[in-house]
């Protein structure tokens, strides 16, 4: 194991030992559930481990709370999306309900799409949605957004580049 990798592992181990209990309690207070708090505390340290630069933060709790806060936001967004999907399913007649496997696949796809769209700037996202979901032409999008067709073209290039970079 290279020295830099060993030092990083040691820093993370110390960060975990000294602050995991505090982070779990902080998340439990935010989420109201010890199990979800444990999952997000774990995910926080997975994010820390995935970083390639040293983690020696001057304020380790603020550092961990910043990472964990982003995970809490993602958690709530995912839950809201899941509730909306389940509400839509509840409105369907019984024979049209998809299987549990299909529901899981659709929900996973919805979360992935939401994550992808969330990473776009609002006008880029709006142009992309108008194009891909509403089927509007670039000229129609430009008219609706009050921009030029060239700007819409630039928005779409940014959106497609964003999607390409997120593709597996």
């Amino acid at each position: 194991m290279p020295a830099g990798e060993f030092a990083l592992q040691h820093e993370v181990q110390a960060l975990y030992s000294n602050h995991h209990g505090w982070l779990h309690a902080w998340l439990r207070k935010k989420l109201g559930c010890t199990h979800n708090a444990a999952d997000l505390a774990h995910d926080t340290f997975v994010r820390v481990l995935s970083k390639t630069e040293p983690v020696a933060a001057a304020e380790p709790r603020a550092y961990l709370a910043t990472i964990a806060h982003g995970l809490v936001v993602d958690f709530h967004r995912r839950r809201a999306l899941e509730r909306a999907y389940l509400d839509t399913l509840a409105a369907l007649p019984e024979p049209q309900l998809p299987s549990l496997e299909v529901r899981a696949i659709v929900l996973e796809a919805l979360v992935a799409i939401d994550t992808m769209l969330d990473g776009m700037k609002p006008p880029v996202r709006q142009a992309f949605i108008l194009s891909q979901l509403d089927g509007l032409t670039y000229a129609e999008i430009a008219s609706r957004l009050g921009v030029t067709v060239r700007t819409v073209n630039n928005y779409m290039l940014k959106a497609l580049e964003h999607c390409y970079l997120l593709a597996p």
Side-chain angles (χ1 to χ4, degrees):
M1 175 182 297
E5 195 174 312
F6 180 75
L8 180 62
Q9 182 180 357
H10 181 70
E11 288 175 1
V12 173
Q13 184 177 5
L15 193 64
Y16 185 89
S17 297
N18 295 332
H19 302 288
H20 178 268
W22 168 84
L23 181 62
H24 181 263
W26 184 82
L27 286 165
R28 189 175 60 241
K29 187 173 143 188
K30 292 241 177 247
L31 298 170
C33 173
T34 191
H35 303 293
N36 291 333
D39 287 345
L40 291 185
H42 174 267
D43 291 349
T44 300
F45 283 99
V46 168
R47 290 261 173 107
V48 170
L49 281 169
S50 70
K51 296 192 179 297
T52 55
E53 68 273 359
V55 294
E59 295 291 333
R61 288 186 177 183
Y63 174 72
L64 292 172
T66 300
I67 296 170
H69 175 73
L71 292 171
V72 168
V73 169
D74 290 346
F75 175 82
H76 286 303
R77 182 185 307 118
R78 191 171 47 250
R79 285 289 165 99
L81 191 60
E82 185 176 328
R83 274 192 306 275
Y85 177 61
L86 293 176
D87 289 347
T88 300
L89 288 179
L92 290 175
E94 186 72 31
Q96 292 181 352
L97 287 176
S99 69
L100 292 177
E101 180 182 3
V102 169
R103 289 182 203 182
I105 291 168
V106 169
L107 189 57
E108 185 178 322
L110 286 172
V111 168
I113 291 167
D114 181 60
T115 301
M116 181 214 38
L117 290 173
D118 187 55
M120 293 180 191
K121 292 184 177 182
V124 173
R125 178 177 50 241
Q126 187 66 29
F128 184 77
I129 289 171
L130 290 171
S131 170
Q132 300 301 306
L133 297 182
D134 294 345
L136 299 183
T137 65
Y138 286 14
E140 292 168 328
I141 296 168
S143 175
R144 184 157 313 170
L145 297 180
V147 297
T148 65
V149 173
R150 182 178 174 101
T151 299
V152 171
N153 189 49
N154 289 337
Y155 287 166
M156 292 303 294
L157 284 171
K158 287 177 184 176
L160 293 173
E161 179 182 18
H162 179 78
C163 293
Y164 178 76
L165 291 173
L166 290 178

